[in-house]
Amino acid sequence: ANLPQEKIRGGGDKPAAMETPRRPESWVEISESVSRLCSFDAGGGGGVSVKLIQDNRMAHDKLVDSFLNKFFPSGYPYSVNEGYLTYTKFRALQHFSSAMLHVLSTQSLLFAAGLRPTPAQATAVSWILKDGMQHAGKLICSGMGARMDSEPKSWRIFADVLYDFGTALDFISPLCPQLFLEVAGLGNFAKGMAVVAARATRLPIYSSFAKEGNLSDLFAKGEAISTLFNVMGIGAGIGLSSTVCSTTQGKLIIGPLLSAVHIWGVVQEMRATPINTLNPQRTAMVVADFIKSGKVSSPAELRYREDLLFPNRLIEEAGSVKVGQPFRRVLSPRLVEELRSTFPNEKFLLTQKSDKAYMVLEQSATGEDALRGWLVAAFASEMERSGAGPRDTVLNDAYQKMESVFPMFVSEVKSRGWYTGQFLDGNHSRIAYAKSE
């Protein structure tokens, strides 16, 4: 009788017999919402053929998928709760009607100022100088949502830098009146991108402080504080504009000082934010601390050590892992067979080249899978530095060591407040093995 095979996870009992994993004849790589069907060339020469799956679709299907990828969450409709489409429809209607009202209000303000603009002139002023370029910036930035999920703090800082850049262009626009349209348009374009990045990162930042399901209350109170100090800032700005900043020269002196204070403040905000989701940098830091001290750091303990300027830096103590490189570029057919034998039933493949380790994750890989791969890389790097043996042997020994410590390690990770149900690697490449027919 055939005995059922048990999946090896977290140091469980190994099956009595196991088939040697075969090299996948084909697989699907998913990156930047584009799927590619890849396969090894016949004859085992090591070549890889790549085909865009979308090329087989009709133009109408491509257009619909492009629209969904741009304006709906990844995985829609399965990634959202019931009612999302209805909400989106009415939200679109709300913004459409609001935009029309804004054009009419702009015309009314110009009329009140003593001008007599035509409806077309009011529309042009509102659309080109403000709304048009801002909306263009918002549309461009909307495609970077996955990266913002992975690194919300870095993107929040980038949003404020962009906004200050747009404000600086506003300051210098009186110096070049002949280029007013271009300068003002570019400034509003930068501000549009900044608005999307700031709003998109607001929720994960607020969520990091929420306890016992109080996210709505936390959000409401945070917005109340923002509103209060915005009103106070407007009052102070009016006072400056009528005194030391009444001239362009005054603005060019005070503006950079206020911008420096602004950026410094947001950097301190982000450093104080204890994000508890796993991304490449935080995963590497958790593993590095465990390798060095045997302890797992909490989100609060790691927050001030995160590199917000260069979040993609590699950490040597964690194995110098580079995640999300295209499968076809880092693995050869021979390596695929070996690695799937070394890492049976895992949702990652790991290979070492020079001083880096390259990890490829399956599409359904979670934070726990990423932690398993990172631990293997860290143990292998540690063994290799101590001269434990050749690289192939070291990788296998590192995997066995990971299996022995992982149950205790992941239990400690969860108890320290980390969320392991998801791994946020931005738009990096993942794989899904094609089912053999």
Side-chain angles (χ1 to χ4, degrees):
N2 293 326
L3 296 177
Q5 298 278 330
E6 290 188 5
K7 190 175 183 182
I8 302 178
R9 299 289 290 176
D13 294 336
K14 297 183 180 178
M18 179 177 295
E19 297 180 1
T20 301
R22 296 186 305 167
R23 183 188 76 195
E25 296 180 356
S26 61
W27 66 93
V28 178
E29 289 192 8
I30 303 98
S31 177
E32 298 279 358
S33 301
V34 176
S35 300
R36 297 177 176 87
L37 179 63
C38 308
S39 59
F40 290 119
D41 294 339
V48 177
S49 61
V50 182
K51 183 178 182 181
L52 287 176
I53 297 177
Q54 286 89 337
D55 286 348
N56 297 326
R57 298 175 301 162
M58 297 179 63
H60 173 266
D61 293 333
K62 290 183 181 181
L63 186 62
V64 170
D65 283 353
S66 176
F67 178 83
L68 291 176
N69 288 334
K70 190 69 177 177
F71 297 101
F72 284 78
S74 177
Y76 177 85
Y78 307 105
S79 61
V80 296
N81 289 323
E82 184 180 356
Y84 183 81
L85 183 60
T86 302
Y87 163 82
T88 303
K89 289 177 181 177
F90 283 100
R91 183 175 175 83
L93 177 63
Q94 173 221 335
H95 281 278
F96 181 74
S97 59
S98 177
M100 290 190 294
L101 287 171
H102 182 68
V103 170
L104 296 177
S105 68
T106 300
Q107 182 186 26
S108 299
L109 287 173
L110 292 173
F111 185 86
L115 302 176
R116 296 294 185 270
T118 65
Q121 288 172 333
T123 301
V125 170
S126 175
W127 176 256
I128 295 176
L129 293 183
K130 184 177 185 297
D131 297 334
M133 293 304 293
Q134 272 207 6
H135 291 332
K138 290 176 181 179
L139 287 174
I140 290 176
C141 204
S142 67
M144 303 175 184
R147 293 188 178 95
M148 297 177 195
D149 279 333
S150 179
E151 292 289 351
K153 297 199 280 189
S154 295
W155 276 92
R156 184 63 179 85
I157 294 171
F158 180 63
D160 283 86
V161 172
L162 269 181
Y163 194 87
D164 284 6
F165 173 72
T167 302
L169 291 177
D170 291 344
F171 283 175
I172 67 173
S173 59
L175 302 178
C176 46
Q178 70 279 8
L179 297 175
F180 174 76
L181 182 61
E182 291 84 352
V183 173
L186 182 58
N188 279 289
F189 178 81
K191 289 179 180 179
M193 293 186 67
V195 166
V196 170
R199 290 177 178 173
T201 55
R202 191 176 300 168
L203 185 59
I205 290 170
Y206 276 135
S207 298
S208 68
F209 293 104
K211 295 179 70 174
E212 301 178 356
N214 64 337
L215 180 59
S216 295
D217 185 43
L218 186 69
F219 190 92
K221 297 303 189 296
E223 293 302 291
I225 292 175
S226 298
T227 301
L228 172 63
F229 281 88
N230 275 332
V231 172
M232 294 172 62
I234 289 172
I238 292 174
L240 284 175
S241 66
S242 59
T243 54
V244 296
C245 292
S246 59
T247 63
T248 300
Q249 290 80 1
K251 292 183 178 69
L252 293 178
I253 295 173
I254 301 299
L257 296 177
L258 292 176
S259 179
V261 172
H262 176 212
I263 298 301
W264 177 81
V266 75
V267 168
Q268 297 307 311
E269 280 182 64
M270 295 304 102
R271 292 186 67 214
T273 304
I275 302 289
N276 72 334
T277 52
L278 292 173
N279 66 357
Q281 179 181 196
R282 287 189 287 274
T283 302
M285 294 174 71
V286 168
V287 169
D289 286 353
F290 179 74
I291 295 295
K292 289 186 290 186
S293 65
K295 299 180 181 179
V296 175
S297 299
S298 68
E301 291 168 344
L302 282 189
R303 56 184 171 172
Y304 286 107
R305 292 161 45 200
E306 285 187 70
D307 191 336
L308 303 182
L309 188 58
F310 300 105
N312 296 321
R313 66 186 177 92
L314 302 181
I315 299 178
E316 184 179 355
E317 293 83 356
S320 298
V321 176
K322 197 172 181 62
V323 68
Q325 296 298 300
F327 185 45
R328 62 187 184 275
R329 294 181 185 173
V330 297
L331 296 177
S332 65
R334 181 182 61 83
L335 268 178
V336 172
E337 294 180 25
E338 293 179 2
L339 293 175
R340 296 194 78 194
S341 298
T342 304
F343 309 125
N345 300 315
E346 295 290 353
K347 294 185 178 180
F348 69 86
L349 292 178
L350 186 74
T351 184
Q352 291 180 296
K353 293 183 178 180
S354 64
D355 59 342
K356 296 184 181 67
Y358 293 90
M359 182 161 60
V360 180
L361 295 172
E362 288 189 24
Q363 184 65 18
S364 59
T366 65
E368 287 195 28
D369 297 303
L371 286 168
R372 290 172 70 86
W374 241 283
L375 267 181
V376 173
F379 285 142
S381 177
E382 186 179 47
M383 291 176 181
E384 197 170 356
R385 287 196 301 268
S386 63
R391 180 166 296 178
D392 294 342
T393 305
V394 163
L395 204 57
N396 186 68
D397 292 344
Y399 180 68
Q400 299 304 322
K401 186 175 182 180
M402 179 277 293
E403 287 276 54
S404 66
V405 304
F406 189 76
M408 175 273 296
F409 171 69
V410 75
S411 176
E412 182 70 12
V413 167
K414 292 177 180 179
S415 69
R416 298 290 281 166
W418 293 102
Y419 175 66
T420 62
Q422 193 176 20
F423 182 68
L424 302 174
D425 53 350
N427 282 328
H428 288 156
S429 180
R430 291 196 180 193
I431 61 171
Y433 295 114
K435 295 181 179 179
S436 56
E437 297 181 358

